[in-house]
């Protein structure tokens, strides 16, 4: 099945050039001429990669980047920015918002196809890292980026809270005793007591909101994350 690519540009000639070049390279290509149309297309059918012009008539391309990196269901979409020579500041902002690469106008169709191919190859090569995402109910834990989300809203956790949650989410439905959690999360730190685990889990539940209900207490034994 060919990789799916969304091309977003309001200049008809460039849009057609990019679409045709990628289609001839074997990709399934969809197009949009405004940021709003692009956002609608992203929600309907998330592509593998989006080629986005920075200068769009309704919203800057960086706003599409912002959306992609703030929604868990769109976070894996690769982003290649199309920029004019004088747009260095916007390009930097794009990278800060999670763009993966850029091509400066004017560009050769061959260069564009090679950049797209390289990004998709890189993503395939890091599949094991991308699979390090644990998701149960409203809770999503991105182990590679060390970020936690509940209902697509980021929740800031301490390092130990994050490790505790990851330990429980890796084995949903299985009870972890306090002793086991102590060993896996704190290791040889002898200053930590069983009470410390209870305190951390209490705070963790509070931070997770409704996601905290998925952390179940097994009385007299320990804790588990609901299946």
């Amino acid at each position: 099945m060919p990789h799916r690519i969304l091309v977003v540009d309001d200049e008809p000639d460039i849009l057609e050039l990019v679409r045709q070049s990628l289609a001839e390279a074997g990709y399934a290509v969809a197009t949009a001429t405004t940021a709003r149309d692009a956002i609608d297309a992203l929600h309907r059918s998330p592509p593998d990669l989006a080629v986005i012009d920075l200068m769009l008539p309704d919203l800057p391309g960086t706003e599409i980047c912002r959306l992609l990196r703030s929604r868990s269901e769109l976070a894996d979409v690769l982003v290649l920015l199309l920029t004019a020579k004088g747009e260095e500041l916007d390009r930097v902002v794009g990278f800060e918002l999670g763009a993966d690469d850029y091509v400066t106008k004017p560009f050769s169709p061959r260069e564009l196809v090679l950049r797209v191919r390289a990004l998709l190859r890189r993503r395939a090569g890091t599949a094991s890292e991308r699979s390090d995402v644990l998701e149960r109910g409203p809770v999503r834990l991105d182990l590679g980026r060390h970020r936690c989300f509940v209902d697509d809203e980021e929740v800031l956790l301490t390092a130990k809270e994050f490790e505790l949650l990851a330990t429980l989410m890796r084995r949903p439905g299985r009870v972890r005793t306090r002793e086991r959690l102590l060993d896996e999360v704190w290791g040889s730190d002898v200053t930590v007591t069983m009470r410390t685990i209870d305190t951390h889990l209490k705070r963790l539940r509070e931070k997770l909101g409704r996601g905290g209900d998925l952390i179940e207490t097994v009385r007299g034994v320990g804790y588990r994350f609901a299946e």
Side-chain angles (χ1 to χ4, degrees):
M1 185 174 179
H3 287 292
R4 292 175 296 114
I5 298 177
L6 174 66
V7 181
V8 189
D9 199 304
D10 65 323
E11 297 182 52
D13 292 344
I14 293 180
L15 186 69
E16 177 57 22
L17 174 64
V18 175
R19 187 204 64 76
Q20 183 176 346
S21 299
L22 292 172
E24 290 176 353
Y27 300 113
V29 186
T31 62
T33 56
T34 68
R36 289 183 175 85
D37 286 346
I39 291 169
D40 288 342
L42 288 165
H43 283 301
R44 283 197 309 272
S45 180
D48 298 296
L49 183 147
V51 179
I52 304 171
D53 183 26
L54 273 177
M55 299 297 291
L56 296 170
D58 49 350
L59 293 169
T62 50
E63 288 304 307
I64 305 178
C65 289
R66 192 189 304 276
L67 169 74
L68 287 169
R69 297 309 177 235
S70 66
R71 302 296 298 271
S72 60
E73 70 272 19
L74 299 175
D76 285 339
V77 177
L78 296 165
V79 175
L80 176 68
L81 294 178
L82 296 179
T83 75
K85 285 186 176 180
E87 295 171 348
E88 182 176 357
L89 179 59
D90 286 339
R91 187 167 65 237
V92 170
V93 172
F95 278 128
E96 290 175 344
L97 292 174
D100 298 286
D101 200 358
Y102 73 93
V103 170
T104 301
K105 298 178 182 180
F107 56 85
S108 73
R110 177 172 171 74
E111 178 191 6
L112 178 71
V113 171
L114 289 175
R115 293 289 186 95
V116 166
R117 189 173 295 156
L119 285 175
L120 292 168
R121 189 185 303 120
R122 188 190 315 162
R123 187 175 74 167
T126 57
S128 60
E129 179 180 337
R130 294 196 325 278
S131 66
D132 271 348
V133 175
L134 305 175
E135 191 162 6
R136 295 281 171 177
V139 182
R140 179 175 181 270
L141 202 63
D142 188 331
L143 303 179
R145 298 178 180 177
H146 212 273
R147 300 175 72 182
C148 175
F149 300 86
V150 177
D151 291 322
D152 294 330
E153 294 291 330
E154 186 164 9
V155 177
L156 299 180
L157 302 179
T158 66
K160 292 303 180 188
E161 289 166 351
F162 190 95
E163 289 179 44
L164 269 174
L165 183 57
T167 299
L168 292 170
M169 289 184 69
R170 284 190 182 103
R171 305 167 184 85
R174 294 181 58 183
V175 179
R176 314 301 289 174
T177 65
R178 288 174 174 82
E179 291 81 3
R180 188 69 178 270
L181 289 171
L182 186 65
D183 179 64
E184 292 182 358
V185 177
W186 278 272
S188 59
D189 189 349
V190 296
T191 65
V192 178
T193 66
M194 297 299 172
R195 181 63 180 166
T196 301
I197 294 176
D198 295 335
T199 301
H200 274 73
L201 281 166
K202 180 176 183 293
R203 290 195 197 121
L204 180 57
R205 280 171 166 154
E206 292 171 351
K207 288 185 177 183
L208 295 178
R210 76 184 189 95
D213 295 337
L214 296 174
I215 301 176
E216 301 173 343
T217 300
V218 181
R219 196 173 299 277
V221 182
Y223 298 90
R224 69 181 167 209
F225 201 89
E227 292 183 283

